[in-house]
Amino acid sequence: MIPPRPNGSMITPMPHRDADASNSSTYETSTFSKKRTALTAEIDAPAPAVRFDEYASVSYRNHQICQEDCAELWYAKEDYQRFKKSHTGNAKDIIRVESKYRGPNSYINVLTRVFDACINNNTEQDDDAVISLASQDARNFQKWVSVTESRVGLERLAARKIRMDKAVRRKEIVFTVLDLQEDPSISTEPLEVTIAKAACEISRPSRNFAALLAHAQQQASR
């Protein structure tokens, strides 16, 4: 059991974390692009590892079904391995086809331009709103979503730009949370509020892209 940290932090750094990593990131929005440039250069380096303090874990007894039946509600480890192998194989097939017939409006190129639009959008969207796309990209994105139902969920595996961006942002969030826990005084707001705002800012492109994808799927189903 990991004892509670004095400042009530939610995650703790693993021993091998680079001691200088905290110098590369803060919660401020203006520093995100600088951090991302530095982190991109280190993308092949081992990812920073964290673990949740177990003292904060809460267990709830299930009074609705018996313990034996609970196991039937979860996939086994072998199931996840099979899913992952299948998804990876499908993504490789997409990449192989695209490498032979890729045009400006190919599946991966359209995904990449749409994701770039999500990155360049600096405003928070309402829960029921999606960002605006260039008319041609919007049409092509809708077309691809409509005719490639089996590819939904494979966007990150198929499009390198999306995959790399997500890896960088994951590191960015970890560094930011650790930095804020080490020096909570850099914000005048409660620590959990500052962390939540920082995480929302860093993850905005992914959330915008997910909203666009969901909207396109909804349109395709009509």
Side-chain angles (χ1 to χ4, degrees):
M1 178 72 70
I2 305 171
R5 293 180 63 180
N7 62 357
S9 60
M10 293 174 284
I11 62 175
T12 56
M14 297 294 280
H16 68 267
R17 179 181 180 244
D18 185 351
D20 294 329
S22 62
N23 294 329
S24 67
S25 64
T26 70
Y27 77 98
E28 295 178 4
T29 304
S30 60
T31 65
F32 287 162
S33 59
K34 295 179 182 178
K35 287 190 297 174
R36 191 168 299 115
T37 300
L39 287 170
T40 302
E42 302 173 358
I43 197 63
D44 294 327
V50 298
R51 57 185 175 184
F52 286 90
D53 284 347
E54 295 181 9
Y55 80 92
S57 297
V58 178
S59 298
Y60 297 94
R61 184 177 297 277
N62 191 325
H63 296 287
Q64 297 178 331
I65 58 177
C66 61
Q67 186 173 357
E68 292 75 13
D69 291 335
C70 287
E72 298 297 325
L73 301 178
W74 297 89
Y75 288 115
K77 181 180 179 179
E78 294 75 17
D79 295 323
Y80 286 111
Q81 291 174 340
R82 187 173 67 255
F83 297 154
K84 184 176 181 179
K85 183 178 180 179
S86 175
H87 292 337
T88 301
N90 290 337
K92 288 181 178 179
D93 288 341
I94 295 171
I95 295 171
R96 183 169 56 253
V97 171
E98 291 262 324
S99 65
K100 297 178 181 179
Y101 309 106
R102 181 178 296 188
N105 293 321
S106 69
Y107 175 74
I108 291 179
N109 280 339
V110 171
L111 285 184
T112 300
R113 288 200 299 273
V114 170
F115 192 75
D116 282 339
C118 294
I119 292 176
N120 295 330
N121 183 273
N122 295 321
T123 59
E124 190 68 43
Q125 302 296 310
D126 296 330
D127 291 341
D128 58 348
V130 294
I131 69 171
S132 298
L133 297 174
S135 58
Q136 185 176 6
D137 284 340
R139 288 194 300 270
N140 287 322
F141 185 63
Q142 183 63 60
K143 180 196 73 174
W144 279 116
V145 171
S146 300
V147 301
T148 56
E149 268 187 54
S150 61
R151 295 183 179 183
V152 173
L154 300 179
E155 297 80 16
R156 179 176 61 85
L157 295 175
R160 186 175 186 274
K161 172 72 175 286
I162 301 176
R163 182 170 65 252
M164 295 294 289
D165 186 87
K166 183 172 183 177
V168 170
R169 289 176 190 276
R170 277 184 172 178
K171 282 189 175 183
E172 205 170 332
I173 288 178
V174 170
F175 286 151
T176 299
V177 171
L178 291 173
D179 290 343
L180 285 167
Q181 289 183 163
E182 290 170 3
D183 186 12
S185 63
I186 62 179
S187 173
T188 58
E189 296 181 300
L191 179 61
E192 61 273 17
V193 173
T194 305
I195 289 176
K197 288 183 177 180
C200 283
E201 175 66 24
I202 295 169
S203 63
R204 176 182 291 138
S206 294
R207 290 184 289 111
N208 284 342
F209 185 80
L212 282 171
L213 184 60
H215 179 72
Q217 288 178 276
Q218 182 183 44
Q219 294 296 110
S221 65
R222 290 179 177 176

